[in-house]
Amino acid sequence: MMRVILPLAGAILVLFLLGLLAGERSLSPGEIAAVLTGQPHASPATAMVILDIRLPRLLLALLVGAALAMAGALSQTVMRNPLAEPGLLGINAGAALGALVFMVLLRETSPHLIAMAAFAGASALAVAIYALAWRGGVRSFRIILIGIGLSALCGAAANLITVFGDITAVQRAQVWLAGTLYLADREKVALMAAVLAPALALCLLLSRELDMIALGDELAQALGQRVQAIRALLLALCVLLSAAAVSLTGLIGFIGLVAPHIARGLVGHRHRAVLPVACLTGALLLLAADLVGRTIIAPAQFPAGLVTALIGAPAFAFIFWRARHAATA
């Protein structure tokens, strides 16, 4: 596994350094080193650019990419569906509706209140989907079907708000919906880290349970697993990770869908290896998307969520083409 982790970590480090260098104002490696090492001759303006703008943005990209990837790995395993991702649990639709209510109807502009509204909306819809799917237990197909239905309902409500809302507020909301790291700050980084670290540790402790539930409910029960309790816990972790990520950065797609597949292709299907590799892959993908978005049409910025869609769609198509080709070979 280390033969996979070390190259991924090296690629992340390279992108991280490029992210510190690139931007509307280009910086030299010497300037960055002076700021990061606390040299007295470092420019205050340069220190502000690095410490208050670029460093929080890059750290948030790392953490959000990792969180979305781990949430995707959990949802694909629990629902035993390779196309599953956090959006099926109502995360995206609930977060979008919650944010739109605050941004368009209430004209709220505070990023922290908007993040709280998005988190509340995502969590509420996920709980509603799980409650409606419960019939003496929860089956993955019921979660998927009810999730699609309630997500469509939330999407219709969100479209209604955007059609009849104030055009300025709607435009501001569309930037958030596209998924952006533009408003990253130290508080968001600390919050995302506080969610991701214990969730990753707990998921690694439950890696054997994930391996068992991937075999199917009947076999897992025969092996002594309390399937419904484990599924509820894993889905709660998925919702927590996804809702936190979406509330802080908006809707960033394809990371949770693509990164777990890449991780399984690199290290196999044992979750003790898949989860950390998926997290590194997700962090790498979002760092790359943010770097491309900041530089491709500089000084203007392309939202990271749009870049991940452009990168993720062909990558996902290639993954399935390779899988089908391998099956017929």
Side-chain angles (χ1 to χ4, degrees):
M1 187 173 69
M2 293 305 297
R3 288 182 295 179
V4 174
I5 288 179
L6 290 178
L8 285 174
I12 287 173
L13 179 60
V14 170
L15 286 179
F16 198 91
L17 294 176
L18 289 175
L20 289 176
L21 291 168
E24 185 175 347
R25 175 185 173 183
S26 297
L27 300 176
S28 68
E31 290 177 303
I32 294 173
V35 171
L36 295 181
T37 56
Q39 297 296 322
H41 62 273
S43 166
T46 302
M48 183 192 71
V49 169
I50 294 174
L51 299 178
D52 295 334
I53 299 176
R54 293 187 187 175
L55 191 59
R57 181 171 184 155
L58 293 169
L59 291 173
L60 189 62
L62 279 173
L63 296 170
V64 167
L68 291 174
M70 186 159 61
L74 292 176
S75 61
Q76 288 169 13
T77 297
V78 172
M79 291 190 269
R80 295 197 303 280
N81 187 331
L83 296 177
E85 52 94 25
L88 286 177
L89 300 177
I91 304 301
N92 293 350
L97 183 58
L100 281 172
V101 168
F102 262 62
M103 298 175 76
V104 178
L105 296 184
L106 302 180
R107 305 289 183 87
E108 182 59 60
T109 59
S110 169
H112 297 97
L113 288 178
I114 293 169
M116 291 173 60
F119 186 90
S123 302
L125 192 60
V127 170
I129 291 171
Y130 192 86
L132 291 173
W134 182 268
R135 293 292 184 276
V138 171
R139 296 285 182 176
S140 59
F141 75 91
R142 287 204 296 264
I143 294 178
I144 292 173
L145 291 177
I146 294 173
I148 291 173
L150 289 187
S151 294
L153 184 63
C154 286
N159 288 333
L160 189 66
I161 291 174
T162 56
V163 167
F164 293 101
D166 176 72
I167 186 63
T168 302
V170 169
Q171 288 177 339
R172 186 173 62 249
Q174 290 299 326
V175 174
W176 184 89
L177 290 173
T180 179
L181 295 158
Y182 179 72
L183 297 175
D185 56 31
R186 297 178 186 180
E187 185 176 346
K188 289 184 177 181
V189 171
L191 179 59
M192 193 68 247
V195 172
L196 179 61
L200 177 58
L202 183 56
C203 286
L204 290 175
L205 289 174
L206 294 172
S207 58
R208 182 174 177 273
E209 304 294 337
L210 281 162
D211 291 339
M212 291 171 61
I213 205 170
L215 299 174
D217 289 2
E218 291 77 11
L219 185 53
Q221 287 175 344
L223 293 172
Q225 184 183 77
R226 299 174 60 189
V227 173
Q228 295 302 330
I230 293 297
R231 176 178 282 118
L233 176 58
L234 294 174
L235 288 176
L237 286 173
C238 180
V239 169
L240 177 64
L241 287 165
S242 303
V246 169
S247 68
L248 296 176
T249 60
L251 306 183
I252 296 179
F254 279 100
I255 298 290
L257 194 61
V258 173
H261 286 283
I262 296 175
R264 293 188 190 100
L266 293 172
V267 296
H269 293 267
R270 293 183 64 86
H271 286 85
R272 184 169 291 277
V274 167
L275 291 175
V277 172
C279 287
L280 290 174
T281 304
L284 180 64
L285 290 174
L286 191 50
L287 272 177
D290 184 53
L291 182 60
V292 170
R294 287 197 290 130
T295 57
I296 192 171
I297 54 173
Q301 297 190 15
F302 211 57
L306 297 181
V307 180
T308 58
L310 294 174
I311 295 175
F316 194 60
F318 172 75
I319 290 170
F320 272 87
W321 173 85
R322 188 176 63 177
R324 187 176 67 175
H325 181 74
T328 57

